[in-house]
Amino acid sequence: MTLVAKKQNGLALLSVLVLTFLFSGCAREPEFPSLSGETFGTTWSLSYRSPDSGVDAQAIEERLLEVFALINVSMNNYDPESTIGTFNRLPATETIVVDWDFAYVLTEALTIGALTDGAYDVTVPPLMAAWGFAPGGTPTVPDDAAVERARSLVGADKLVWSPTRRELGKTDDQVGIDLASIAKGYAVDLGADALEELGVTDYLFEIGGEVRVGGQSPRGDDWRIAVERPDGTVRGVQAALSVSDIGVATSGDYRNFFILEGQRYSHLIDPRSGRPIRHDVVSVTVLHPSTMMADAWATALIVLGSERGLALAESRGLAVYMVSRDGDDLVDVWTGPLVKYLLPQPE
């Protein structure tokens, strides 16, 4: 038996993406310093124009670290003392009052879940555990009975949720929540809000590939972002986008998977079937004013697949760039709202 596994830790578990940034033809300007570090089991970086307000780099970094701490306390599955960790250990006989940020993110996640008929579902932890993708797990292929047991614990109807009181409970002790596919994008939005409050209006801020851009790049025009070619071995550019004042997120199944007895299993689980996705879509990039929404929709659409995903994206007016595999070839398609962001294909 041969097992090959590729996994990531932290909040990035479900949201596997890599976006590279193009600064071609533009030397780094002195007034555009950069900051970077680690958070949520991944990395973060910021390129920004120094604000006229005189706020220095230390103050900017401290404010971003406050944002990261807020998200960790609320939504980090790897911290048993976080709000989400507390809920996941909670017996069905009890409820908790969650913090405002948790309530907001959960409500938006449940809305997308309803719009996708359950293809996007943040109560997926029992299935993630069954396939060995939970924190500390080992990738495995469960039998049909184990999949069905896990599926019986998944679904928005397994939550007892009062948004007005921010009170959350569950119908079974084993029901859990994982906000990894949306929380990182939310952190990017909060970070961008903090930057703008400090007077930083021209910036590119990203956490683990989830991106928010504001204002202008060092060239004095829109920021250029390259969507990575969905190839797990060689990095390259699949598409180039010109963006400003918007969030960008990509979900892909080409870096986080395991192989067992010659069969490839994606980390992306379809909650409706209880099994890893097995269709032609390998990468979905979404542009949205909210990076949180771009983050969640990218995951939702890749689970839905090309036909259903594109149809829903068009009906919702989403700017989406989707890459599918046809044999050894990559086929890219996009929705109407995405066209205005596309740059000519790089050489």
Side-chain angles (χ1 to χ4, degrees):
M1 180 173 65
T2 302
L3 175 67
V4 179
K6 294 192 177 182
K7 297 185 70 177
Q8 292 186 348
N9 294 321
L11 289 178
L13 182 63
L14 284 180
S15 186
V16 180
L17 60 96
V18 178
L19 284 167
T20 55
F21 311 115
L22 299 181
F23 294 100
S24 57
C26 171
R28 174 73 67 183
E29 298 293 335
E31 67 269 24
F32 264 79
S34 61
L35 297 169
S36 62
E38 296 183 356
T39 191
F40 310 147
T42 185
T43 59
W44 66 271
S45 66
L46 168 68
S47 175
Y48 67 102
R49 184 187 300 277
S50 300
D52 295 335
S53 60
V55 174
D56 62 15
Q58 181 177 349
I60 291 171
E61 183 166 9
E62 287 176 353
R63 185 67 186 91
L64 292 178
L65 293 179
E66 290 175 4
V67 168
F68 302 156
L70 182 153
I71 300 300
N72 268 319
V73 167
S74 179
M75 306 174 212
N76 189 347
N77 279 72
Y78 287 77
D79 181 358
E81 302 305 317
S82 67
T83 301
I84 200 168
T86 301
F87 171 77
N88 287 345
R89 299 195 317 272
L90 199 72
T93 54
E94 299 180 14
T95 61
I96 61 171
V97 175
V98 302
D99 58 85
W100 187 93
D101 296 276
F102 188 104
Y104 174 64
V105 172
L106 176 61
T107 298
E108 294 301 313
L110 293 175
T111 298
I112 294 178
L115 291 171
T116 59
D117 296 326
Y120 179 79
D121 196 323
V122 293
T123 68
V124 76
L127 283 169
M128 300 297 290
W131 287 89
F133 285 115
T138 300
T140 187
V141 179
D143 59 30
D144 291 346
V147 171
E148 288 309 308
R149 283 195 300 272
R151 279 190 67 212
S152 71
L153 299 167
V154 173
D157 60 332
K158 306 303 187 296
L159 299 178
V160 182
W161 172 230
S162 172
T164 54
R165 297 194 303 271
R166 303 204 312 270
E167 187 175 1
L168 182 62
K170 58 179 75 171
T171 60
D172 189 286
D173 293 353
Q174 298 180 66
V175 170
I177 291 175
D178 188 331
L179 297 175
S181 60
I182 190 170
K184 191 147 56 73
Y186 181 61
V188 172
D189 286 338
L190 288 187
D193 290 345
L195 292 172
E196 292 175 10
E197 289 171 4
L198 293 172
V200 178
T201 56
D202 299 318
Y203 60 86
L204 186 154
F205 176 50
E206 63 89 21
I207 304 176
E210 257 78 313
V211 179
R212 177 81 171 264
V213 294
Q216 295 185 324
S217 74
R219 293 178 307 272
D221 59 4
D222 288 351
W223 294 89
R224 296 177 185 176
I225 295 180
V227 179
E228 186 180 39
R229 185 179 301 279
D231 186 325
T233 57
V234 179
R235 291 194 169 184
V237 174
Q238 183 69 27
L241 306 174
S242 177
V243 293
S244 181
D245 300 321
I246 202 164
V248 186
T250 299
S251 184
D253 76 340
Y254 56 99
R255 289 191 182 278
N256 197 350
F257 59 88
F258 69 90
I259 298 173
L260 182 61
E261 297 180 347
Q263 177 65 55
R264 184 181 187 278
Y265 297 91
S266 169
H267 77 291
L268 290 164
I269 306 292
D270 186 336
R272 300 166 301 176
S273 68
R275 301 178 183 280
I277 61 172
R278 294 186 66 182
H279 51 59
D280 58 335
V281 180
V282 292
S283 172
V284 175
T285 297
V286 179
L287 278 63
H288 195 283
S290 162
T291 316
M292 177 189 73
M293 298 301 285
D295 193 3
W297 273 114
T299 300
L301 296 174
I302 198 170
V303 172
L304 282 171
S306 56
E307 184 175 351
R308 179 79 192 283
L310 281 172
L312 181 59
E314 288 282 11
S315 71
R316 303 293 303 177
L318 297 174
V320 174
Y321 185 92
M322 183 178 290
V323 183
S324 301
R325 194 174 297 282
D326 183 8
D328 294 332
D329 298 325
L330 294 175
V331 179
D332 47 2
V333 294
W334 49 86
T335 60
L338 190 281
V339 173
K340 65 181 180 180
Y341 302 106
L342 271 177
L343 288 170
Q345 288 287 347
E347 295 297 330

